Amino acid sequence: MFSRSRRSTALLLALPLLLAGCTSAVAGPQRGTDAPSRVVVPPLTSATPMLDSANDQPLPLDTYLFNPEQMSTVEKAQAKLGTSCMARFGFSYAPPAAPQPTRGSDAPTMRTDGRYGPQDAALMAKWGYHSEGGDVGAGWSPPRLEMSQEMTAALLGSSDMKQKYGPGGQVINGQKVPDHGCVGETVKELTGAVEGKVGDAELAQDLKFRTLRDSQQDTRTQAVFAQWSKCMKESGFSYPDPVAAMGDKAWSGTPMPTPHEIQVATADAACRHRTNLVGVWYTVDFAYQQQAIAENATAMAQIKTALQAQVKAATTALNG
């Protein structure tokens, strides 16, 4: 339902080249745009729907962030463009494909992650807080690529592996290496600039995490968390909120859920339903996202245009 992985620096060499990985949006980390001095003004909310799951409900930021289908299109285009560029210099370069994060049957199609954790009672009763089918591929790392200086220069524009990118200009097999190498050529093809950002814009990512955190800390959400916690205690489990239950370190040591995890997750689902936790949290989150977009209207309009252009360029590259 939600991915826990991040793309490592090593994947820059393995392609996809520059996409940041999907992370669980639940309890996101502090982000750069969110200075400690920022004053949070709680937005007004509309009527609160009764929801066990919000995975089929739209959120205002959805159209400013790549959805899974768009992300897949861009990643495939990156791999194709990068491989083609390296072939031009005489190198057979097939990037190893990272295992895709498990997307359960309840996962949203308009977002890459579930913002409120698992929301399907039947799946929680079977898989607990694990991904549907178990955490397959956890701990995967790309195989080490043995790269010659010439191959490195073609890929990055510099033969120095300690250097992120170089200006190119080398002549390899009669071909001149472009600025930032094949990485740069691929990025330029998709974004229009050699130093462009492939994937979600930084501001859109920051707002995704910031609004989730703000909605999680909002007094209205905290009130329903308290109701949920009381309900959980009645079942014999002590957690201050569902984020703590999801993040219990006891669940992270095994690829499959334990019986205890199943018990906790089953009680969690029942208490979510009883308190309308998802309905409240979603409504508050929706309002914070609307507010954030309005506060950054000009930049967000540019982000949407750039996202659409990137998907179009990727589609063209795949069909070319």
Side-chain angles (χ1 to χ4, degrees), residues 7-8 67 77 86 119 123 144 175 223 240 254 261 265 275 299 314 320:
R7 294 196 183 280
S8 65
N67 64 39
M86 291 294 282
Q119 297 165 61
L123 292 177
R144 184 176 179 82
Q175 298 289 322
T254 60
E261 178 182 343
T275 62

Side-chain angles (χ1 to χ4, degrees), residues 207-218:
L207 294 181
K208 177 176 80 168
F209 285 99
R210 193 189 84 184
T211 54
L212 179 65
R213 188 170 60 256
D214 287 346
S215 69
Q216 182 178 318
Q217 296 172 351
D218 188 275

